[in-house]
Amino acid sequence: MDYMKMIMDKVGLGDNTYLPLALHQDPPNPCMAAARQEAECVMFGSLDNLFEKTKLVQPKDIGILIVNCSVFHPVPSLSSMIVHRYKLEHNILSYNLTGMGCTAGLLAIRLANQLLQVHENTCALILSTENTTDCIYVGNDESKFIPNCTFRVGGAAILLSNRPSHKKFSKYQLLHDVHTHGASLDRSYKSIFLEEDEQGDESMEASKITLQRFGNTSSSSVWYELAYAETKRRIKRNDRIWQMAFGSGFKCSSLIWRATRSVDSNDLTNPWNREMDTVDLNFDGTGPFYDYFELPKLS
């Protein structure tokens, strides 16, 4: 516990992040049932919010479903759990991506984009999440405690459409997607490293505050960061937004969106709208944000 506390003091997470129920028990109980419960809570909560916000699109309108979760892949699959819950059509194109790390959310966008090129007048639904229950480590190897300290519960649902009638209701237009996979090189395969420049670059604000408030939610983190920028009213019409995610392997995915309108997100389903009065938003280039990559050396 002392070792885990030392790590948590270093990584910059705030006190309001979400741990799974399995870690609230003594001893922890990372069983299959608890992992399924976490997955259902995150996925169905995100999707219920999405369908409530996009009233023009009903579950029956979804033609493509892509779910990404690196470590948890039960049978039936997570995508099948969604099909069953929302009674999606029997001919839906359904995909379940695993083992792809933090970059999988943007990879899912790329896959949906390619499918939408050949399937006209349809909608693609993407659910990006990670399962922290299935990551819990209860042994004695100190190096394996790091996921317990850094990863937290979270998820995001994204809806894409190529229906002409939906254009006037959309927030973004996808302009480019680029994916680079460097796993053929030992240097890339065995290491992952991220640091900021000497100036501290305001564009890191959303990433760092997301880490502080919600923890590392893996592939869904980029959507928490975009929601933060929306809530801060930084997205104006015709702005271009560059999303980049790095994953184990080593993989890098990059998307460029164009804002079809100025986004002034004030709905309560945006995860930040209830947080702006409580999260420390004084981003001055100092404090724990700049320390969280400096993990202690393993003994």
Side-chain angles (χ1 to χ4, degrees), residues 1-269:
M1 295 300 295
D2 290 340
Y3 179 76
M4 291 177 65
K5 183 179 185 301
M6 179 175 64
I7 294 177
M8 294 176 71
D9 288 342
K10 287 284 188 179
V11 296
L13 273 63
D15 294 331
N16 295 319
T17 60
Y18 304 114
L19 285 168
L21 290 176
L23 267 181
H24 285 273
Q25 302 177 26
D26 187 14
N29 183 31
C31 61
M32 174 66 76
R36 282 184 177 273
Q37 183 181 25
E38 179 191 340
E40 291 176 352
C41 177
V42 171
M43 295 193 309
F44 300 159
S46 299
L47 291 171
D48 287 347
N49 283 337
L50 182 142
F51 288 125
E52 177 63 26
K53 290 170 65 176
T54 57
K55 296 183 183 296
L56 290 176
V57 177
Q58 300 300 316
K60 64 179 179 60
D61 299 318
I62 304 300
I64 300 166
L65 172 65
I66 304 171
V67 179
N68 68 266
C69 181
S70 285
V71 299
F72 186 51
H73 35 89
V75 178
S77 66
L78 296 176
S79 58
S80 293
M81 291 165 61
I82 293 174
V83 171
H84 180 262
R85 163 85 173 202
Y86 295 95
K87 308 304 179 188
L88 304 185
E89 297 294 327
H90 70 279
N91 61 343
I92 190 170
L93 300 175
S94 177
Y95 301 89
N96 211 90
L97 308 181
T98 63
M100 306 188 80
C102 299
T103 189
L106 302 191
L107 276 172
I109 295 287
R110 187 184 196 202
L111 174 58
N113 184 34
Q114 293 172 339
L115 291 170
L116 287 170
Q117 304 303 313
V118 295
H119 296 277
E120 298 179 350
N121 198 38
T122 192
C123 296
L125 178 61
I126 296 172
L127 195 289
S128 293
T129 187
E130 195 52 81
N131 193 279
T132 51
T133 299
D134 209 52
C135 291
I136 294 174
Y137 177 71
V138 294
N140 296 315
D141 186 339
E142 290 182 346
S143 67
K144 293 181 172 59
F145 281 118
I146 293 177
N148 293 2
C149 303
T150 59
F151 284 90
R152 293 294 183 265
V153 178
I158 305 96
L159 182 67
L160 291 87
S161 173
N162 61 10
R163 293 183 174 179
S165 60
H166 289 167
K167 185 174 182 179
K168 61 182 178 180
F169 301 105
S170 66
K171 289 200 291 187
Y172 302 101
Q173 176 190 10
L174 180 60
L175 299 181
H176 303 286
D177 69 81
V178 178
H179 175 66
T180 301
H181 205 312
S184 60
L185 303 174
D186 287 345
R187 182 179 179 184
S188 296
Y189 183 72
K190 296 179 180 178
S191 66
I192 178 170
F193 183 76
L194 177 65
E195 66 178 9
E196 60 195 7
D197 60 20
E198 295 179 355
Q199 287 73 40
D201 194 1
E202 188 186 65
S203 62
M204 291 294 294
E205 177 184 350
S207 176
K208 289 178 175 293
I209 291 183
T210 294
L211 183 78
Q212 182 199 41
R213 172 57 184 86
F214 294 100
N216 187 339
T217 62
S218 192
S219 59
S220 65
S221 296
V222 291
W223 304 109
Y224 284 79
E225 293 156 14
L226 181 58
Y228 176 84
E230 292 179 351
T231 305
K232 294 283 284 185
R233 300 181 180 179
R234 292 178 178 169
I235 308 297
K236 306 301 182 184
R237 186 173 183 269
N238 289 325
D239 279 357
R240 294 194 178 193
I241 298 93
W242 185 14
Q243 284 183 306
M244 183 178 291
F246 302 90
S248 57
F250 174 85
K251 299 182 292 295
C252 175
S253 289
S254 179
L255 301 179
I256 296 178
W257 305 86
R258 182 182 67 83
T260 58
R261 56 185 170 86
S262 296
V263 180
D264 181 10
S265 182
N266 56 12
D267 64 274
L268 293 180
T269 58

